[in-house]
Amino acid sequence: MNDQLWWQRGVIYQVYPRSFQDSNHDGLGDLPGIESRLDYLARLGIEAIWLSPIFPSPMADFGYDVADYTAVNPIFGDMDNFDRLLAAAHERGLKLLLDLVPNHTSDQHLWFEESRASRDNPKRDWYIWRDSAQDGGPPNNWLSYFGGPAWTFDERTGQYYLHQFVTKQPELNYRHPEVLPAMLDVMRFWLDKGVDGFRVDVIWLMLKDDALRDEPPNPLWDGVNPHDSLLHIYTQDLPGVHEIIRSMRGMLDDYEGRMMVGEIYLPLAKLMAYYGRSSDECHQPYNFQLINTPWTATAVRTAVDEYEAVLPDGAWPNWVLGNHDQKRTASRVGFEQARVANMLLLTLRGTPTLYYGEEIGMTNVPIPPECVQDPPALLQPEIAELIGRDPVRTPMQWDGSANAGFTASGVTPWLPVAPDYATVNVARQDQDPFSMLRFVRQLLHLRRSEPALHSGSLQTIPLDNDGLFAYRRTYPEADSFLVMLNFGEKSLQVDLGSVAAKATITLTTRLDRSGAVDLASLRVAANEGLVLRLPLAQRQS
Ligand code: GLC
């Protein structure tokens, strides 16, 4: 065994609670539902579960508008259900991460109700209030991610408040000395219960320019999403945010074995700063390179090399392919290629986060206009295709029964079940020896048992074929592995004789071959990925 920590060794699996498993037939997933699927998750071979927000919320942004940070939303269950879920996860050796949303609350949070009550309320400056500009409009040109200005006028006290998402998500003011301590108390509440850490929502947005300067136009704007029309230099990545994160981390470190992942969409150089100068910020600043990189072997290889090259000393890498805000992998790269994508995600160096349903190849589900729920899609229907997230949040496909086993037959789920559920589901793939699920499960178990795959170093291998991406994972005194991925539709041959003469196929994406191969003339089928073992004995000889 090696001395890596659980959050370095293992895989994080993201559960979107509304869509995972409904236990009380209201069409919405819930905590007892998740508990009933823990055996599935344990058997899959993941290490930790991250739950998107489970807190009381009017659901203006599906839980990312929190009305009470230290309670459970009745639609998901109650605190007993949570305690049981946590204990049941721990019994199975699974860790549990919660989603902390510190940047903004719901407008129905008591803090905001007090803040908006009067200009002299003690909580007034817990949020960001400003007078109108001289023309009566918003105080500056800042924009909401979801469309329109980032400011809403509140008649009662005659001022605007700031919100970078929907109007019902007012932003907390971390320049007020009481706000951070209040958020640290929230963290303590859950850590005392034994949660293993947090995924922290929009952590890089937590501080805003105090002078509220206008943001400059983005000269590279493509004219599509209005939010991209400005350069967000006064609402994102302000230097002072690091101090806030250090305080959060300092508090977390009072507890043993906990961790913090930060949601951060920034270019690499800036992203690295979120590890902290002395590794005292996020254990994992989320690395979204794979989401933002064109799906070609060359582009992905470059992204991997660049990321590895800029990682600070001692910083542990992480990789993400999908989440509740991003397109489904199988829709983006194709159903067959999605296996290659999963092989990549699960064999790169660092901690992968796997979004629910990606292990069976769930795709973006077309949402009829009358069923659209997601605020950005409703607010900007003209670009709903681009920014709407309902298609990636549909019910988990458990089996071929009505409603895919997510909820009882006859119940209307909150979002439509995918049309392909009769063929793409857990039960069916469990029976099929060549399925995506069988492949992912085998890969997760292989990853767990092989030090090179969960903890080893990574070295990309130059190839003279730009349809392929290859890398080697190596760990002292252990077998090493070659990963070979074909990103295209054509079968290709490659010469890897310089690495070794022979290797053994340990796993393929298609689960259809094994045994020794000659590396000098290795054939890789279309859309195929291979994990090849280079035994320690062979390396030493
Ligand atoms: C994060 C969440 C997203 C949410 C937004 C506002 O980006 O991942 O789902 O809408 O924050 O909280």
Side-chain angles (χ1 to χ4, degrees):
M1 230 15 219
N2 54 58
D3 54 7
Q4 302 291 47
L5 301 166
W6 65 265
W7 55 265
Q8 298 175 311
R9 245 183 355 245
V11 174
I12 300 174
Y13 183 97
Q14 180 187 0
V15 166
Y16 194 69
R18 291 178 73 88
S19 302
F20 203 58
Q21 178 67 59
D22 178 16
S23 74
N24 62 350
H25 312 321
D26 61 358
L28 288 168
D30 46 46
L31 299 183
I34 298 169
E35 188 184 339
S36 72
R37 296 296 185 179
L38 286 179
D39 286 333
Y40 166 77
L41 293 175
R43 187 167 163 234
L44 189 58
I46 55 134
E47 180 84 22
I49 301 165
W50 147 32
L51 295 182
S52 281
I54 55 163
F55 318 106
S57 159
M59 294 284 166
D61 187 17
F62 296 104
Y64 286 93
D65 48 323
V66 179
D68 181 351
Y69 287 102
T70 53
V72 171
N73 192 323
I75 67 169
F76 295 133
D78 59 18
M79 198 55 93
D80 283 346
N81 295 136
F82 177 78
D83 292 339
R84 268 203 300 277
L85 173 64
L86 181 61
H90 284 168
E91 265 164 35
R92 288 163 178 80
L94 297 170
K95 310 281 185 194
L96 194 69
L97 306 176
L98 289 183
D99 208 314
L100 183 75
V101 190
N103 178 65
H104 44 269
T105 69
S106 160
D107 64 348
Q108 289 176 39
H109 195 292
L110 280 179
W111 297 343
F112 189 69
E113 288 186 352
E114 286 188 44
S115 180
R116 83 189 319 181
S118 70
R119 287 196 187 200
D120 55 9
N121 186 284
K123 292 219 167 42
R124 181 66 171 181
D125 293 330
W126 277 41
Y127 293 83
I128 301 173
W129 293 95
R130 285 296 189 282
D131 290 334
S132 329
Q134 288 195 335
D135 63 0
N140 66 17
N141 72 347
W142 295 355
L143 295 171
S144 157
Y145 276 86
F146 291 171
W151 297 95
T152 288
F153 188 71
D154 199 42
E155 298 282 348
R156 198 162 356 165
T157 52
Q159 282 191 311
Y160 281 87
Y161 65 86
L162 179 73
H163 56 85
Q164 294 191 74
F165 297 92
V166 295
T167 55
K168 293 170 79 56
Q169 289 169 297
E171 307 233 345
L172 284 161
N173 174 19
Y174 280 87
R175 295 183 190 278
H176 188 289
E178 290 167 5
V179 173
L180 180 57
M183 200 49 69
L184 296 180
D185 283 348
V186 169
M187 294 174 74
R188 252 182 232 111
F189 174 87
W190 293 106
L191 292 169
D192 286 341
K193 276 192 172 287
V195 307
D196 300 286
F198 303 96
R199 173 266 188 188
V200 186
D201 193 65
V202 298
I203 202 167
W204 87 117
L205 307 186
M206 285 176 71
L207 204 67
K208 276 55 80 166
D209 181 40
D210 208 17
L212 301 188
R213 280 170 280 185
D214 274 353
E215 293 191 319
N218 175 4
L220 301 177
W221 185 43
D222 59 7
V224 180
N225 185 348
H227 188 259
D228 298 337
S229 67
L230 299 178
L231 294 174
H232 301 293
I233 57 172
Y234 296 130
T235 50
Q236 303 187 351
D237 192 33
L238 267 70
V241 80
H242 294 281
E243 203 180 315
I244 299 173
I245 300 174
R246 277 196 293 277
S247 303
M248 294 166 79
R249 170 66 183 270
M251 197 277 300
L252 198 79
D253 283 349
D254 290 345
Y255 294 78
E256 214 189 315
R258 315 299 168 96
M259 68 89 78
M260 178 164 111
V261 183
E263 185 202 18
I264 303 157
Y265 287 90
L266 280 176
L268 279 186
K270 292 184 173 192
L271 181 67
M272 293 304 127
Y274 286 78
Y275 280 106
R277 279 210 199 96
S278 322
S279 304
D280 50 1
E281 295 186 30
C282 298
H283 293 90
Q284 293 177 14
Y286 257 150
N287 164 22
F288 297 118
Q289 310 304 304
L290 293 181
I291 291 174
N292 297 325
T293 302
W295 199 254
T296 68
T298 313
V300 169
R301 186 206 153 145
T302 306
V304 171
D305 281 339
E306 284 176 0
Y307 181 70
E308 285 277 346
V310 296
L311 276 171
D313 279 351
W316 186 250
N318 73 82
W319 296 95
V320 181
L321 250 187
N323 61 37
H324 63 295
D325 298 327
Q326 304 293 341
K327 302 284 177 249
R328 286 282 185 186
T329 309
S331 294
R332 191 178 143 216
V333 305
F335 194 74
E336 282 309 311
Q337 187 60 207
R339 293 189 187 213
V340 172
N342 276 330
M343 185 175 268
L344 174 77
L345 175 74
L346 299 175
T347 58
L348 285 173
R349 188 173 82 90
T351 308
T353 295
L354 187 65
Y355 185 48
Y356 85 93
E358 296 278 293
E359 73 274 29
I360 53 170
M362 278 176 66
T363 45
N364 296 341
V365 177
I367 309 291
E370 67 280 8
C371 297
V372 172
Q373 311 258 355
D374 189 31
L378 291 169
L379 289 165
Q380 299 184 89
E382 61 292 354
I383 51 168
E385 196 55 24
L386 181 72
I387 58 174
R389 302 164 299 177
D390 291 330
V392 306
R393 297 175 174 181
T394 59
M396 177 67 178
Q397 293 156 218
W398 293 108
D399 58 41
S401 68
N403 283 328
F406 162 71
T407 186
S409 128
V411 174
T412 306
W414 80 285
L415 281 174
V417 174
D420 65 3
Y421 81 90
T423 47
V424 179
N425 67 59
V426 169
R428 182 157 171 164
Q429 293 196 12
D430 208 22
Q431 296 305 312
D432 172 359
F434 302 106
S435 69
M436 167 88 106
L437 178 62
R438 289 279 195 106
F439 154 65
V440 171
R441 196 189 288 144
Q442 285 183 37
L443 182 52
L444 283 165
H445 286 269
L446 179 67
R447 190 181 189 283
R448 284 202 141 186
S449 61
E450 294 294 344
L453 291 177
H454 60 69
S455 303
S457 61
L458 179 142
Q459 189 192 11
T460 57
I461 300 172
L463 298 175
D464 53 11
N465 194 318
D466 59 13
L468 297 169
F469 176 32
Y471 45 95
R472 184 172 180 160
R473 303 292 316 274
T474 313
Y475 193 82
E477 301 308 315
D479 287 357
S480 75
F481 290 86
L482 261 180
V483 180
M484 170 61 71
L485 306 171
N486 186 342
F487 276 63
E489 300 285 325
K490 280 197 217 116
S491 165
L492 297 168
Q493 179 144 329
V494 66
D495 178 356
L496 281 173
S498 60
V499 177
K502 289 213 174 297
T504 317
I505 298 181
T506 307
L507 189 67
T508 77
T509 43
R510 293 143 47 125
L511 303 173
D512 60 353
R513 56 182 180 135
S514 59
V517 282
D518 185 353
L519 287 182
S521 57
L522 180 65
R523 180 151 284 286
V524 195
N527 292 312
E528 186 182 43
L530 304 169
V531 177
L532 303 158
R533 184 187 296 268
L534 296 167
L536 181 61
Q538 180 180 325
R539 260 201 302 148
Q540 284 173 335
S541 63

